[in-house]
Amino acid sequence: MIVPNHVGIIVDGNGRWATQKGKKRSEGHLAGSKNLDSLCQYIFDKGVKILSLYVFSTENFKRSDEEVNYLMDLFIKKFKNDFKIFNKKDIKIVFSGRREPLRQEILDIIDDITYKTKDNKSGILNFCLNYGSHAEIIDAVKKINKDIINNKLVIDELNDDIFKNYLYNNLPDVDLLIRTGGEVRLSNFMLWQCAYAELYFTDILFPDFNEAELEKALDSYSKRDRRYGGINYEKKSN
Ligand code: IPE
Ligand code: IPE
Ligand code: MG
């Protein structure tokens, strides 16, 4: 089976999972977070090298203070726990997103974990927190402009590879993008990196997206014919 190098997951459906069970939305986030704990380890064990998780978008600040604060507290606990688990497995943890208006406590944890895991080599876990592709591209353009002014970059030399250095993290493109929760949209997730991603949408709400459901996504991916605009002459269907 062909295993994707970089998997992205739009973690969606926690709130509806809770509502359907007569629980508070926060309980859905807790269930989603617990599900992530086991799923992430399983994904790396399958041979995936990079895992990008969309856990909070720039737009998610539109939600109530109560929900946002609950999520931030949950992330703090989660990141501390993930550091212990993934550092032992030689996995680097990185974060993608704007720093403002995240609170200092969370920024300190992000900086600490990023620094402590920077030399790990077996895989990369990328948390997209306060992340939006539009923000990422605009931030990249601002950094590019600064480098041009400071004579560190010549505009005519800008190409795909150089541009990627200005994104929050220079990661290989996403191979498989999974979205749980039934919505068929990207909601501002890694638009640059997903240019040629294989897309997999499922109605399963994230807390129920278990290993068997993940296997379905990986199986679907392994059957895709990735042509990148070319023609795969080895496949009879062409
Ligand atoms: C995804 O679940 C988690 C975050 C966006 C933080 P949602 O909270 O969006 O769940 P639904 O879509 O309302 O069910
Ligand atoms: C996308 O989910 C963001 C994350 C999963 C973090 P949303 O629930 O915020 O997306 P929309 O509002 O349905 O597009
Ligand atoms: Mg949602």
Side-chain angles (χ1 to χ4, degrees):
M1 191 155 109
I2 304 160
V3 177
N5 182 51
H6 185 174
V7 171
I9 305 182
I10 302 177
V11 172
D12 197 21
N14 292 346
R16 280 163 286 161
W17 181 91
T19 306
Q20 282 175 12
K21 291 185 156 42
K23 297 174 188 238
K24 289 195 283 185
R25 288 181 60 84
S26 56
E27 293 180 68
H29 293 312
L30 185 61
S33 171
K34 284 185 180 152
N35 189 40
L36 265 184
D37 291 345
S38 52
L39 205 64
C40 290
Q41 298 196 51
Y42 186 80
I43 290 173
F44 284 117
D45 289 346
K46 292 297 293 185
V48 169
K49 291 290 174 211
I50 305 156
L51 177 59
S52 290
L53 300 172
Y54 200 14
V55 294
F56 194 90
S57 71
T58 45
E59 291 75 25
N60 286 147
F61 273 109
K62 290 177 190 162
R63 298 187 182 193
S64 70
D65 287 351
E66 188 192 353
E67 183 164 350
V68 171
N69 287 332
Y70 180 86
L71 281 165
M72 294 301 154
D73 289 342
L74 189 62
F75 293 143
I76 288 170
K77 281 188 215 130
K78 178 163 176 48
F79 296 155
K80 286 182 181 166
N81 190 47
D82 283 347
F83 167 69
K84 284 189 206 140
I85 293 165
F86 292 107
N87 194 37
K88 271 190 209 136
K89 291 177 180 263
D90 191 40
I91 287 173
K92 191 199 288 202
I93 301 179
V94 298
F95 296 84
S96 296
R98 272 200 180 146
R99 292 174 74 86
E100 305 77 34
L102 294 176
R103 41 172 144 113
Q104 195 56 44
E105 188 186 9
I106 208 158
L107 292 174
D108 288 345
I109 289 165
I110 286 175
D111 291 342
D112 187 48
I113 294 177
T114 306
Y115 180 73
K116 285 183 177 151
T117 65
K118 70 179 173 25
D119 296 322
N120 292 353
K121 299 270 184 298
S122 297
I124 301 172
L125 178 56
N126 172 34
F127 284 105
C128 298
L129 170 68
N130 193 25
Y131 176 85
S133 286
H134 285 190
E136 181 173 38
I137 291 168
I138 286 170
D139 290 349
V141 171
K142 287 181 183 170
K143 286 183 246 169
I144 286 169
N145 189 45
K146 265 194 196 145
D147 276 1
I148 292 169
I149 291 169
N150 294 324
N151 294 319
K152 288 185 182 158
L153 178 72
V154 175
I155 191 66
D156 286 339
E157 286 172 8
L158 187 62
N159 59 24
D160 281 34
D161 281 342
I162 295 174
F163 186 79
K164 280 164 69 173
N165 289 321
Y166 291 92
L167 297 173
Y168 294 133
N169 286 286
N170 186 351
L171 300 172
D173 283 351
V174 173
D175 297 297
L176 170 63
L177 172 65
I178 298 169
R179 181 171 188 149
T180 59
E183 310 297 353
V184 188
R185 55 177 171 250
L186 298 181
S187 301
N188 206 8
F189 181 64
M190 295 190 112
L191 301 181
W192 174 275
Q193 299 86 340
C194 284
Y196 265 101
E198 297 298 327
L199 308 180
Y200 182 87
F201 296 99
T202 171
D203 289 339
I204 304 284
L205 303 172
F206 187 74
D208 294 328
F209 189 74
N210 56 19
E211 291 167 7
E213 292 299 331
L214 177 80
E215 283 295 341
K216 288 186 200 167
L218 293 175
D219 187 51
S220 170
Y221 173 82
S222 71
K223 293 180 182 134
R224 308 279 178 100
D225 182 13
R226 306 190 76 191
R227 294 189 291 275
Y228 297 96
I231 294 163
N232 188 349
Y233 292 102
E234 279 164 28
K235 289 233 170 179
K236 281 193 183 130
S237 57
N238 294 308

